[in-house]
Amino acid sequence: MNSDKIAEFFNGIISLIEAIIWPAFAVFFVVYFGDSLKKLINTISEFSLKAGPSGVEANVTRQLESAAMLGAASGQKKFSQESSDSGENADANHESRKIIHAIARVSDPKISEELLTKKVLWVDDCLEENAYEQKALEVLGVQCSLSRNTEEAIAKIKASPYHAVISDIKRPPDDLAGYTLLEELRRLGYYMPYILYAGTILPEHQSEARRLGAKGCTTQPTELFEMVISALTGDRN
């Protein structure tokens, strides 16, 4: 793809995103602007071509929306944490590379198609804080159901089992609610992949997650995205 075609493609996508998800893309653009963004577009378009001409436009749109949402989630996380300016550009470049890698994987037509059949239950008493992360999955066709407490989550799983569960760790009044839910699901015979996602992850959280058989435990939006995609597609590369 030559520079003129890249520019034309980029301008077309920007026009589309302005109408659909400009607020999210704005955060992504501000935090991660640079050559990595052009590389992301090239990577997405290259992988999407494997889907055939009829699927290119839809696939590229979904993947760019997902990338924008991951960028927005990462930007929101970054701005919510206290940090110095040192290493800021390196961090941004590193995160943009992670997003490129994550989106390149879902550009595989087989994985893209498989995600359309998957259901995830997201359990968190502050669901609004995960809006970008949730949307990054939903634009790819993943169905996300939401629950604010352990009891409701168990009831939903009994009514309609899910392919994966995402949970925070603390939900008043239980400071270990994420583990409580995991243990109860295993006791009931549900063994879908279980991922813990919280603002703070301590070493003891990681070890307890492993002990109980959780798939992973993370504070980072892109890592969460990769864990969920891996869980939903059977760890295929």
PDB file of all heavy atoms in Angstrom, residues 189-216:
ATOM      1  N   GLY A 189     -19.870 -26.595  39.315  1.00  0.00           N
ATOM      2  CA  GLY A 189     -19.526 -27.344  38.116  1.00  0.00           C
ATOM      3  C   GLY A 189     -19.346 -26.517  36.861  1.00  0.00           C
ATOM      4  O   GLY A 189     -19.359 -27.063  35.748  1.00  0.00           O
ATOM      5  N   TYR A 190     -19.162 -25.208  37.000  1.00  0.00           N
ATOM      6  CA  TYR A 190     -18.927 -24.341  35.841  1.00  0.00           C
ATOM      7  C   TYR A 190     -17.422 -24.074  35.727  1.00  0.00           C
ATOM      8  O   TYR A 190     -16.800 -23.560  36.661  1.00  0.00           O
ATOM      9  CB  TYR A 190     -19.676 -23.015  35.994  1.00  0.00           C
ATOM     10  CG  TYR A 190     -21.184 -23.170  35.979  1.00  0.00           C
ATOM     11  CD1 TYR A 190     -21.915 -23.122  37.161  1.00  0.00           C
ATOM     12  CD2 TYR A 190     -21.873 -23.375  34.790  1.00  0.00           C
ATOM     13  CE1 TYR A 190     -23.297 -23.261  37.156  1.00  0.00           C
ATOM     14  CE2 TYR A 190     -23.253 -23.520  34.771  1.00  0.00           C
ATOM     15  CZ  TYR A 190     -23.954 -23.465  35.956  1.00  0.00           C
ATOM     16  OH  TYR A 190     -25.325 -23.609  35.949  1.00  0.00           O
ATOM     17  N   TYR A 191     -16.852 -24.403  34.573  1.00  0.00           N
ATOM     18  CA  TYR A 191     -15.406 -24.297  34.405  1.00  0.00           C
ATOM     19  C   TYR A 191     -15.010 -23.422  33.213  1.00  0.00           C
ATOM     20  O   TYR A 191     -13.942 -23.597  32.627  1.00  0.00           O
ATOM     21  CB  TYR A 191     -14.798 -25.699  34.262  1.00  0.00           C
ATOM     22  CG  TYR A 191     -14.928 -26.502  35.533  1.00  0.00           C
ATOM     23  CD1 TYR A 191     -15.995 -27.375  35.721  1.00  0.00           C
ATOM     24  CD2 TYR A 191     -14.005 -26.347  36.559  1.00  0.00           C
ATOM     25  CE1 TYR A 191     -16.130 -28.098  36.899  1.00  0.00           C
ATOM     26  CE2 TYR A 191     -14.124 -27.069  37.738  1.00  0.00           C
ATOM     27  CZ  TYR A 191     -15.194 -27.936  37.906  1.00  0.00           C
ATOM     28  OH  TYR A 191     -15.326 -28.635  39.085  1.00  0.00           O
ATOM     29  N   MET A 192     -15.853 -22.462  32.878  1.00  0.00           N
ATOM     30  CA  MET A 192     -15.482 -21.532  31.820  1.00  0.00           C
ATOM     31  C   MET A 192     -14.292 -20.678  32.273  1.00  0.00           C
ATOM     32  O   MET A 192     -14.062 -20.499  33.469  1.00  0.00           O
ATOM     33  CB  MET A 192     -16.660 -20.640  31.444  1.00  0.00           C
ATOM     34  CG  MET A 192     -16.992 -19.550  32.463  1.00  0.00           C
ATOM     35  SD  MET A 192     -17.849 -20.159  33.926  1.00  0.00           S
ATOM     36  CE  MET A 192     -19.485 -20.384  33.227  1.00  0.00           C
ATOM     37  N   PRO A 193     -13.478 -20.164  31.329  1.00  0.00           N
ATOM     38  CA  PRO A 193     -12.350 -19.308  31.691  1.00  0.00           C
ATOM     39  C   PRO A 193     -12.807 -18.120  32.542  1.00  0.00           C
ATOM     40  O   PRO A 193     -13.855 -17.522  32.269  1.00  0.00           O
ATOM     41  CB  PRO A 193     -11.804 -18.843  30.338  1.00  0.00           C
ATOM     42  CG  PRO A 193     -12.210 -19.926  29.393  1.00  0.00           C
ATOM     43  CD  PRO A 193     -13.558 -20.387  29.868  1.00  0.00           C
ATOM     44  N   TYR A 194     -12.016 -17.811  33.552  1.00  0.00           N
ATOM     45  CA  TYR A 194     -12.368 -16.765  34.522  1.00  0.00           C
ATOM     46  C   TYR A 194     -11.187 -15.808  34.624  1.00  0.00           C
ATOM     47  O   TYR A 194     -10.055 -16.221  34.886  1.00  0.00           O
ATOM     48  CB  TYR A 194     -12.646 -17.422  35.869  1.00  0.00           C
ATOM     49  CG  TYR A 194     -13.293 -16.540  36.912  1.00  0.00           C
ATOM     50  CD1 TYR A 194     -14.670 -16.598  37.139  1.00  0.00           C
ATOM     51  CD2 TYR A 194     -12.543 -15.676  37.695  1.00  0.00           C
ATOM     52  CE1 TYR A 194     -15.281 -15.825  38.111  1.00  0.00           C
ATOM     53  CE2 TYR A 194     -13.137 -14.890  38.664  1.00  0.00           C
ATOM     54  CZ  TYR A 194     -14.509 -14.972  38.875  1.00  0.00           C
ATOM     55  OH  TYR A 194     -15.109 -14.182  39.846  1.00  0.00           O
ATOM     56  N   ILE A 195     -11.442 -14.520  34.402  1.00  0.00           N
ATOM     57  CA  ILE A 195     -10.380 -13.517  34.373  1.00  0.00           C
ATOM     58  C   ILE A 195     -10.685 -12.428  35.388  1.00  0.00           C
ATOM     59  O   ILE A 195     -11.799 -11.882  35.422  1.00  0.00           O
ATOM     60  CB  ILE A 195     -10.255 -12.893  32.970  1.00  0.00           C
ATOM     61  CG1 ILE A 195      -9.911 -13.991  31.946  1.00  0.00           C
ATOM     62  CG2 ILE A 195      -9.186 -11.804  32.958  1.00  0.00           C
ATOM     63  CD1 ILE A 195     -10.107 -13.556  30.508  1.00  0.00           C
ATOM     64  N   LEU A 196      -9.704 -12.096  36.218  1.00  0.00           N
ATOM     65  CA  LEU A 196      -9.847 -11.046  37.215  1.00  0.00           C
ATOM     66  C   LEU A 196      -9.259  -9.749  36.666  1.00  0.00           C
ATOM     67  O   LEU A 196      -8.118  -9.728  36.172  1.00  0.00           O
ATOM     68  CB  LEU A 196      -9.142 -11.446  38.509  1.00  0.00           C
ATOM     69  CG  LEU A 196      -9.835 -12.596  39.265  1.00  0.00           C
ATOM     70  CD1 LEU A 196      -8.833 -13.360  40.119  1.00  0.00           C
ATOM     71  CD2 LEU A 196     -10.978 -12.072  40.116  1.00  0.00           C
ATOM     72  N   TYR A 197     -10.040  -8.677  36.744  1.00  0.00           N
ATOM     73  CA  TYR A 197      -9.627  -7.377  36.191  1.00  0.00           C
ATOM     74  C   TYR A 197      -9.921  -6.303  37.227  1.00  0.00           C
ATOM     75  O   TYR A 197     -11.079  -6.075  37.586  1.00  0.00           O
ATOM     76  CB  TYR A 197     -10.389  -7.106  34.901  1.00  0.00           C
ATOM     77  CG  TYR A 197     -10.010  -5.816  34.206  1.00  0.00           C
ATOM     78  CD1 TYR A 197      -8.696  -5.588  33.801  1.00  0.00           C
ATOM     79  CD2 TYR A 197     -10.969  -4.837  33.928  1.00  0.00           C
ATOM     80  CE1 TYR A 197      -8.350  -4.421  33.143  1.00  0.00           C
ATOM     81  CE2 TYR A 197     -10.625  -3.669  33.267  1.00  0.00           C
ATOM     82  CZ  TYR A 197      -9.312  -3.464  32.871  1.00  0.00           C
ATOM     83  OH  TYR A 197      -8.969  -2.302  32.221  1.00  0.00           O
ATOM     84  N   ALA A 198      -8.868  -5.673  37.718  1.00  0.00           N
ATOM     85  CA  ALA A 198      -9.041  -4.690  38.787  1.00  0.00           C
ATOM     86  C   ALA A 198      -8.043  -3.553  38.637  1.00  0.00           C
ATOM     87  O   ALA A 198      -7.068  -3.663  37.897  1.00  0.00           O
ATOM     88  CB  ALA A 198      -8.871  -5.366  40.149  1.00  0.00           C
ATOM     89  N   GLY A 199      -8.292  -2.456  39.356  1.00  0.00           N
ATOM     90  CA  GLY A 199      -7.397  -1.307  39.295  1.00  0.00           C
ATOM     91  C   GLY A 199      -6.058  -1.577  39.943  1.00  0.00           C
ATOM     92  O   GLY A 199      -5.041  -0.988  39.572  1.00  0.00           O
ATOM     93  N   THR A 200      -6.056  -2.457  40.927  1.00  0.00           N
ATOM     94  CA  THR A 200      -4.822  -2.821  41.626  1.00  0.00           C
ATOM     95  C   THR A 200      -4.751  -4.328  41.767  1.00  0.00           C
ATOM     96  O   THR A 200      -5.709  -4.958  42.215  1.00  0.00           O
ATOM     97  CB  THR A 200      -4.772  -2.182  43.023  1.00  0.00           C
ATOM     98  OG1 THR A 200      -4.858  -0.759  42.900  1.00  0.00           O
ATOM     99  CG2 THR A 200      -3.473  -2.554  43.733  1.00  0.00           C
ATOM    100  N   ILE A 201      -3.619  -4.895  41.381  1.00  0.00           N
ATOM    101  CA  ILE A 201      -3.390  -6.328  41.522  1.00  0.00           C
ATOM    102  C   ILE A 201      -2.138  -6.532  42.376  1.00  0.00           C
ATOM    103  O   ILE A 201      -1.038  -6.134  41.984  1.00  0.00           O
ATOM    104  CB  ILE A 201      -3.196  -7.019  40.164  1.00  0.00           C
ATOM    105  CG1 ILE A 201      -4.432  -6.842  39.287  1.00  0.00           C
ATOM    106  CG2 ILE A 201      -2.875  -8.496  40.360  1.00  0.00           C
ATOM    107  CD1 ILE A 201      -5.659  -7.577  39.752  1.00  0.00           C
ATOM    108  N   LEU A 202      -2.307  -7.135  43.540  1.00  0.00           N
ATOM    109  CA  LEU A 202      -1.187  -7.411  44.423  1.00  0.00           C
ATOM    110  C   LEU A 202      -0.629  -8.811  44.135  1.00  0.00           C
ATOM    111  O   LEU A 202      -1.320  -9.648  43.542  1.00  0.00           O
ATOM    112  CB  LEU A 202      -1.640  -7.323  45.884  1.00  0.00           C
ATOM    113  CG  LEU A 202      -2.246  -5.971  46.308  1.00  0.00           C
ATOM    114  CD1 LEU A 202      -2.770  -6.060  47.741  1.00  0.00           C
ATOM    115  CD2 LEU A 202      -1.222  -4.864  46.165  1.00  0.00           C
ATOM    116  N   PRO A 203       0.612  -9.080  44.549  1.00  0.00           N
ATOM    117  CA  PRO A 203       1.182 -10.423  44.323  1.00  0.00           C
ATOM    118  C   PRO A 203       0.305 -11.538  44.878  1.00  0.00           C
ATOM    119  O   PRO A 203       0.169 -12.597  44.261  1.00  0.00           O
ATOM    120  CB  PRO A 203       2.531 -10.348  45.054  1.00  0.00           C
ATOM    121  CG  PRO A 203       2.901  -8.900  44.992  1.00  0.00           C
ATOM    122  CD  PRO A 203       1.605  -8.154  45.123  1.00  0.00           C
ATOM    123  N   GLU A 204      -0.312 -11.285  46.043  1.00  0.00           N
ATOM    124  CA  GLU A 204      -1.177 -12.319  46.617  1.00  0.00           C
ATOM    125  C   GLU A 204      -2.428 -12.543  45.775  1.00  0.00           C
ATOM    126  O   GLU A 204      -3.007 -13.639  45.779  1.00  0.00           O
ATOM    127  CB  GLU A 204      -1.567 -11.962  48.059  1.00  0.00           C
ATOM    128  CG  GLU A 204      -2.157 -10.589  48.242  1.00  0.00           C
ATOM    129  CD  GLU A 204      -1.135  -9.545  48.670  1.00  0.00           C
ATOM    130  OE1 GLU A 204       0.018  -9.628  48.191  1.00  0.00           O
ATOM    131  OE2 GLU A 204      -1.488  -8.671  49.483  1.00  0.00           O
ATOM    132  N   HIS A 205      -2.868 -11.501  45.049  1.00  0.00           N
ATOM    133  CA  HIS A 205      -4.006 -11.665  44.137  1.00  0.00           C
ATOM    134  C   HIS A 205      -3.626 -12.624  43.005  1.00  0.00           C
ATOM    135  O   HIS A 205      -4.413 -13.496  42.622  1.00  0.00           O
ATOM    136  CB  HIS A 205      -4.416 -10.319  43.553  1.00  0.00           C
ATOM    137  CG  HIS A 205      -4.999  -9.378  44.557  1.00  0.00           C
ATOM    138  ND1 HIS A 205      -4.942  -8.007  44.404  1.00  0.00           N
ATOM    139  CD2 HIS A 205      -5.659  -9.608  45.722  1.00  0.00           C
ATOM    140  CE1 HIS A 205      -5.539  -7.433  45.430  1.00  0.00           C
ATOM    141  NE2 HIS A 205      -5.986  -8.382  46.239  1.00  0.00           N
ATOM    142  N   GLN A 206      -2.436 -12.432  42.479  1.00  0.00           N
ATOM    143  CA  GLN A 206      -1.972 -13.297  41.389  1.00  0.00           C
ATOM    144  C   GLN A 206      -1.871 -14.749  41.838  1.00  0.00           C
ATOM    145  O   GLN A 206      -2.329 -15.668  41.136  1.00  0.00           O
ATOM    146  CB  GLN A 206      -0.596 -12.821  40.888  1.00  0.00           C
ATOM    147  CG  GLN A 206      -0.586 -11.445  40.233  1.00  0.00           C
ATOM    148  CD  GLN A 206      -1.017 -11.501  38.784  1.00  0.00           C
ATOM    149  OE1 GLN A 206      -1.469 -12.526  38.297  1.00  0.00           O
ATOM    150  NE2 GLN A 206      -0.880 -10.384  38.075  1.00  0.00           N
ATOM    151  N   SER A 207      -1.273 -14.970  43.005  1.00  0.00           N
ATOM    152  CA  SER A 207      -1.090 -16.341  43.482  1.00  0.00           C
ATOM    153  C   SER A 207      -2.430 -16.998  43.795  1.00  0.00           C
ATOM    154  O   SER A 207      -2.625 -18.184  43.518  1.00  0.00           O
ATOM    155  CB  SER A 207      -0.177 -16.356  44.710  1.00  0.00           C
ATOM    156  OG  SER A 207      -0.725 -15.582  45.770  1.00  0.00           O
ATOM    157  N   GLU A 208      -3.368 -16.235  44.359  1.00  0.00           N
ATOM    158  CA  GLU A 208      -4.686 -16.791  44.672  1.00  0.00           C
ATOM    159  C   GLU A 208      -5.459 -17.108  43.395  1.00  0.00           C
ATOM    160  O   GLU A 208      -6.166 -18.118  43.320  1.00  0.00           O
ATOM    161  CB  GLU A 208      -5.474 -15.813  45.544  1.00  0.00           C
ATOM    162  CG  GLU A 208      -6.831 -16.316  46.009  1.00  0.00           C
ATOM    163  CD  GLU A 208      -6.753 -17.481  47.003  1.00  0.00           C
ATOM    164  OE1 GLU A 208      -5.628 -17.919  47.316  1.00  0.00           O
ATOM    165  OE2 GLU A 208      -7.809 -17.944  47.451  1.00  0.00           O
ATOM    166  N   ALA A 209      -5.307 -16.244  42.390  1.00  0.00           N
ATOM    167  CA  ALA A 209      -5.962 -16.494  41.103  1.00  0.00           C
ATOM    168  C   ALA A 209      -5.460 -17.799  40.494  1.00  0.00           C
ATOM    169  O   ALA A 209      -6.243 -18.612  39.992  1.00  0.00           O
ATOM    170  CB  ALA A 209      -5.702 -15.323  40.151  1.00  0.00           C
ATOM    171  N   ARG A 210      -4.155 -18.011  40.543  1.00  0.00           N
ATOM    172  CA  ARG A 210      -3.588 -19.262  40.016  1.00  0.00           C
ATOM    173  C   ARG A 210      -4.067 -20.470  40.809  1.00  0.00           C
ATOM    174  O   ARG A 210      -4.402 -21.515  40.238  1.00  0.00           O
ATOM    175  CB  ARG A 210      -2.055 -19.190  40.035  1.00  0.00           C
ATOM    176  CG  ARG A 210      -1.455 -18.273  38.978  1.00  0.00           C
ATOM    177  CD  ARG A 210       0.044 -18.485  38.859  1.00  0.00           C
ATOM    178  NE  ARG A 210       0.735 -18.123  40.097  1.00  0.00           N
ATOM    179  CZ  ARG A 210       1.216 -16.923  40.357  1.00  0.00           C
ATOM    180  NH1 ARG A 210       1.062 -15.939  39.469  1.00  0.00           N
ATOM    181  NH2 ARG A 210       1.842 -16.670  41.481  1.00  0.00           N
ATOM    182  N   ARG A 211      -4.110 -20.317  42.139  1.00  0.00           N
ATOM    183  CA  ARG A 211      -4.526 -21.438  42.993  1.00  0.00           C
ATOM    184  C   ARG A 211      -5.951 -21.884  42.680  1.00  0.00           C
ATOM    185  O   ARG A 211      -6.262 -23.082  42.693  1.00  0.00           O
ATOM    186  CB  ARG A 211      -4.416 -21.033  44.471  1.00  0.00           C
ATOM    187  CG  ARG A 211      -4.724 -22.171  45.440  1.00  0.00           C
ATOM    188  CD  ARG A 211      -4.706 -21.694  46.881  1.00  0.00           C
ATOM    189  NE  ARG A 211      -5.887 -20.916  47.198  1.00  0.00           N
ATOM    190  CZ  ARG A 211      -7.073 -21.441  47.525  1.00  0.00           C
ATOM    191  NH1 ARG A 211      -7.238 -22.756  47.563  1.00  0.00           N
ATOM    192  NH2 ARG A 211      -8.095 -20.662  47.823  1.00  0.00           N
ATOM    193  N   LEU A 212      -6.806 -20.910  42.402  1.00  0.00           N
ATOM    194  CA  LEU A 212      -8.211 -21.218  42.162  1.00  0.00           C
ATOM    195  C   LEU A 212      -8.505 -21.571  40.702  1.00  0.00           C
ATOM    196  O   LEU A 212      -9.636 -21.897  40.355  1.00  0.00           O
ATOM    197  CB  LEU A 212      -9.081 -20.037  42.597  1.00  0.00           C
ATOM    198  CG  LEU A 212      -9.076 -19.736  44.109  1.00  0.00           C
ATOM    199  CD1 LEU A 212      -9.836 -18.437  44.392  1.00  0.00           C
ATOM    200  CD2 LEU A 212      -9.699 -20.899  44.883  1.00  0.00           C
ATOM    201  N   GLY A 213      -7.498 -21.476  39.860  1.00  0.00           N
ATOM    202  CA  GLY A 213      -7.691 -21.873  38.468  1.00  0.00           C
ATOM    203  C   GLY A 213      -8.189 -20.784  37.546  1.00  0.00           C
ATOM    204  O   GLY A 213      -8.743 -21.088  36.472  1.00  0.00           O
ATOM    205  N   ALA A 214      -7.997 -19.522  37.914  1.00  0.00           N
ATOM    206  CA  ALA A 214      -8.375 -18.431  37.020  1.00  0.00           C
ATOM    207  C   ALA A 214      -7.434 -18.404  35.821  1.00  0.00           C
ATOM    208  O   ALA A 214      -6.266 -18.797  35.919  1.00  0.00           O
ATOM    209  CB  ALA A 214      -8.316 -17.094  37.749  1.00  0.00           C
ATOM    210  N   LYS A 215      -7.936 -17.942  34.689  1.00  0.00           N
ATOM    211  CA  LYS A 215      -7.100 -17.865  33.489  1.00  0.00           C
ATOM    212  C   LYS A 215      -6.057 -16.775  33.613  1.00  0.00           C
ATOM    213  O   LYS A 215      -4.944 -16.903  33.101  1.00  0.00           O
ATOM    214  CB  LYS A 215      -7.955 -17.610  32.245  1.00  0.00           C
ATOM    215  CG  LYS A 215      -7.126 -17.542  30.965  1.00  0.00           C
ATOM    216  CD  LYS A 215      -7.983 -17.452  29.743  1.00  0.00           C
ATOM    217  CE  LYS A 215      -7.121 -17.373  28.483  1.00  0.00           C
ATOM    218  NZ  LYS A 215      -6.304 -18.604  28.302  1.00  0.00           N
ATOM    219  N   GLY A 216      -6.415 -15.678  34.277  1.00  0.00           N
ATOM    220  CA  GLY A 216      -5.474 -14.584  34.407  1.00  0.00           C
ATOM    221  C   GLY A 216      -5.964 -13.522  35.366  1.00  0.00           C
ATOM    222  O   GLY A 216      -7.102 -13.554  35.835  1.00  0.00           O
TER     223      GLY A 216
END
